[in-house]
Amino acid sequence: MEYDNKYDRDRLERIVDFCREIDKEKFIQRRTYLTDGERLENDAEHAWHLAVMALLLSEYANEEIDLLRVVGIVLIHDLVEIYARDTFAYDTEGLKTQKEREKAAADRLFSRLPDDLGMKIRELWDEFEAGATPESRFAHTLDNFQPLMLQAASDGRAWKEGGRRLSEVLRRNSRTAEGSEALWNYARTRFIDPQIEKGNLADDCGEQTKIAF
């Protein structure tokens, strides 16, 4: 049965095309193992996880937030990696070109939508990139908290394989507390410090970096 003619055919086609295109996010592999330590997660799994965590952890945000906006931000924040690919957090060369590659990917991806929707979704992505609102700051905290949680659950497998050092992890998380000091303190004491004690993350910073939870 043909859909109702009251809908603009081209508009609906473009929205459905976009929905089909973003299925490719499921094929973008990240560098963090799932909780069983058997395989790496993909971008779509990561985004879903962040969205649910936003619903459950919003009370720990440093500032009052629009929860629905946070959910929107985390669901779309990595869509550009369909074209730009995932940039590994510790890939110093890849990080040099990340912003340029992802901006070009955003231009390409969000232009597939009707103008009004494209602008709406692009606004969420730009907000995340700028990190200047309470919502984007909390989204960034969740984006960093979740892989730390998985690292701990998989007994630091990716950290061990990569020979990661505490200084690298702290540098990566230098702004994590801006969205939630509570979540950062929890991550440091419950996710990071135990992996140092187990020898899965090299402590090149010394005991003075430990914090109390």
Side-chain angles (χ1 to χ4, degrees):
M1 181 177 177
E2 193 73 12
Y3 58 80
D4 196 318
N5 288 331
K6 72 179 180 180
Y7 294 112
D8 182 303
R9 290 172 182 265
D10 180 66
R11 178 181 177 84
L12 182 55
E13 287 290 351
R14 291 182 68 181
I15 295 171
V16 172
D17 173 72
F18 183 84
C19 292
R20 184 166 46 243
E21 185 71 0
I22 63 173
D23 183 71
K24 295 176 181 177
E25 188 181 32
K26 299 172 185 175
F27 301 105
I28 307 300
Q29 191 177 74
R30 290 170 52 81
R31 301 292 189 93
T32 308
Y33 285 97
L34 299 180
T35 51
D36 64 359
E38 294 299 315
R39 72 167 176 87
L40 299 170
E41 71 171 348
N42 63 52
D43 268 1
E45 292 168 330
H46 173 66
W48 159 81
H49 210 173
L50 294 188
V52 177
M53 290 171 67
L55 295 175
L56 299 175
L57 296 171
S58 60
E59 65 189 272
Y60 298 102
N62 288 343
E63 307 163 89
E64 185 175 343
I65 56 172
D66 178 338
L67 179 56
L68 181 58
R69 192 164 187 85
V70 174
V71 170
I73 288 172
V74 297
L75 284 174
I76 65 90
H77 80 289
D78 276 343
L79 286 180
V80 297
E81 292 183 1
I82 291 171
Y83 300 144
R85 315 303 294 177
D86 177 61
T87 302
F88 184 39
Y90 304 108
D91 177 4
T92 54
E93 289 303 310
L95 290 171
K96 292 177 182 178
T97 62
Q98 181 182 13
K99 288 189 178 298
E100 179 182 346
R101 287 183 289 105
E102 291 188 349
K103 182 181 182 302
D107 292 341
R108 176 183 173 190
L109 180 64
F110 301 132
S111 67
R112 298 177 70 109
L113 283 166
D115 290 346
D116 61 323
L117 283 179
M119 289 177 61
K120 181 178 180 180
I121 301 301
R122 176 62 182 264
E123 183 180 275
L124 292 175
W125 185 80
D126 286 337
E127 182 176 346
F128 179 78
E129 290 298 299
T133 64
E135 290 75 19
S136 63
R137 285 190 285 270
F138 188 62
H140 274 285
T141 292
L142 293 175
D143 192 35
N144 292 341
F145 183 87
Q146 186 259 6
L148 293 174
M149 180 179 68
L150 295 187
Q151 286 286 1
S154 60
D155 217 18
R157 179 175 174 181
W159 281 341
K160 286 187 291 186
E161 291 177 350
R164 297 274 77 84
R165 304 184 305 276
L166 175 59
S167 60
E168 295 177 293
V169 174
L170 294 181
R171 190 179 308 116
R172 166 67 175 168
N173 287 277
S174 63
R175 301 185 63 182
T176 299
E178 292 181 9
S180 172
E181 291 183 5
L183 293 183
W184 167 241
N185 290 342
Y186 187 97
R188 180 63 206 271
T189 58
R190 303 297 181 89
F191 302 154
I192 297 174
D193 287 346
Q195 296 307 311
I196 294 172
E197 293 167 5
K198 291 180 179 181
N200 298 329
L201 179 65
D203 184 359
D204 59 345
C205 296
E207 291 294 316
Q208 70 274 14
T209 61
K210 288 193 173 184
I211 57 177
F213 176 69

